[in-house]
Amino acid sequence: MSRLNKFTGILFSFCLIVASLLTIVDYNCFDRRFYSAQQDKYQIAANIGVSQSELDKITDVLLGYLQHENNDMYVEAKVKGQTREIFNQREKDHMIDVRNLYDGAIMIRNVCAITALISLVYLISRKSFNIISQSYNKTLIFFGMIFLFIGLFCLIDFNMFWTYFHEVFFPMNDLWLLDPRTDILINIVPEEFFFALVTRIIVIVAIAVIIYYLLFRYLRRYENA
């Protein structure tokens, strides 16, 4: 078992988990059905004072901006009987930061996915299935501790977790501190929404890493084939 094979195995496992995590985050953050279900559950449209059709339009503009489907967040809607622009400048400035974070995450995801694929091809060509399994198990312990910590943190005090999240990923300003009395954005995606989103992501990631574990354990039988 060469050092190169060991290193490649760890590199593959690390990149696989990171790429999978960011792919799961990407999918769930833009799942319109999830938004609709949460908006209906927490009666977001009624709380804001807009119709459901207009809330759908606002949500499409918001998500479309993050995915570069539209270049700005300009959208008007009738709020409590008065037509107005939905997002103010502070909200727009914060979403610039969010979009930059999203773009960076997708770039990291793509690099990790390519690296994982190249590493896997190399290991398979060497029939190093045992290394794949062993390296994945070690990497899984590392990430498992992180996921467990995050999961417990969310359950114990999600508000504190969400505050720390923003302080870590948006250290240059406090634009993420929005006022529900004046900023519609925080009413569209309240804390309850993000708790459900983070919980959903953690559960799906847990299922994915378990599937990988079972798959790589199964492949070990081909080590000496």
Side-chain angles (χ1 to χ4, degrees):
M1 187 183 296
S2 70
R3 291 183 178 181
L4 177 58
N5 287 0
K6 289 182 180 179
F7 172 80
T8 305
I10 293 295
L11 180 65
F12 161 72
S13 302
F14 182 89
C15 289
L16 174 66
I17 294 177
V18 171
S20 299
L21 169 63
L22 293 178
T23 298
I24 292 169
V25 169
D26 179 34
Y27 174 80
N28 284 279
C29 285
F30 295 97
D31 184 358
R32 262 63 167 185
R33 292 172 299 178
F34 177 74
Y35 279 79
S36 296
Q38 293 298 308
Q39 289 168 353
D40 182 64
K41 179 179 181 179
Y42 295 109
Q43 299 182 330
I44 302 297
N47 292 337
I48 295 175
V50 300
S51 65
Q52 184 59 51
S53 62
E54 288 191 314
L55 180 57
D56 292 339
K57 179 180 69 173
I58 295 168
T59 303
D60 286 340
V61 169
L62 177 63
L63 299 183
Y65 175 75
L66 292 175
Q67 293 181 301
H68 294 271
E69 294 175 359
N70 40 276
N71 295 323
D72 58 53
M73 290 174 55
Y74 183 83
V75 57
E76 288 187 349
K78 185 174 291 186
V79 181
K80 298 179 180 178
Q82 294 186 340
T83 300
R84 51 159 288 187
E85 183 177 356
I86 295 301
F87 300 114
N88 59 40
Q89 193 58 49
R90 184 179 182 87
E91 292 168 306
K92 293 176 182 178
D93 290 342
H94 174 54
M95 292 311 294
I96 291 175
D97 292 340
V98 174
R99 185 160 75 165
N100 289 337
L101 178 65
Y102 170 72
D103 290 344
I106 293 303
M107 181 182 68
I108 293 172
R109 189 273 306 274
N110 292 342
V111 171
C112 284
I114 293 171
T115 303
L117 179 60
I118 294 173
S119 301
L120 180 62
V121 170
Y122 170 81
L123 291 168
I124 290 177
S125 70
R126 299 296 190 275
K127 291 188 176 181
S128 299
F129 300 107
N130 193 47
I131 291 180
I132 294 175
S133 179
Q134 290 180 357
S135 299
Y136 179 78
N137 291 346
K138 293 177 182 178
T139 308
L140 182 58
I141 292 174
F142 170 74
F143 278 102
M145 293 175 64
I146 295 176
F147 294 150
L148 179 61
F149 172 78
I150 292 176
L152 291 175
F153 197 172
C154 290
L155 289 174
I156 294 171
D157 192 338
F158 183 79
N159 181 265
M160 183 178 292
F161 163 78
W162 201 233
T163 298
Y164 284 157
F165 173 89
H166 284 80
E167 290 177 345
V168 169
F169 288 102
F170 305 109
M172 303 303 295
N173 57 63
D174 63 354
L175 294 171
W176 54 274
L177 290 171
L178 300 176
D179 188 341
R181 297 170 298 179
T182 58
D183 305 318
I184 286 183
L185 177 59
I186 196 173
N187 293 299
I188 294 175
V189 283
E191 185 175 297
E192 294 84 359
F193 168 87
F194 284 113
F195 177 79
L197 178 63
V198 172
T199 301
R200 187 184 195 199
I201 289 171
I202 291 175
V203 170
I204 296 175
V205 169
I207 293 172
V209 297
I210 290 172
I211 291 174
Y212 291 148
Y213 169 79
L214 295 175
L215 175 62
F216 297 147
R217 184 177 180 181
Y218 174 80
L219 289 176
R220 291 178 65 175
R221 67 179 63 189
Y222 295 102
E223 177 75 32
N224 300 312

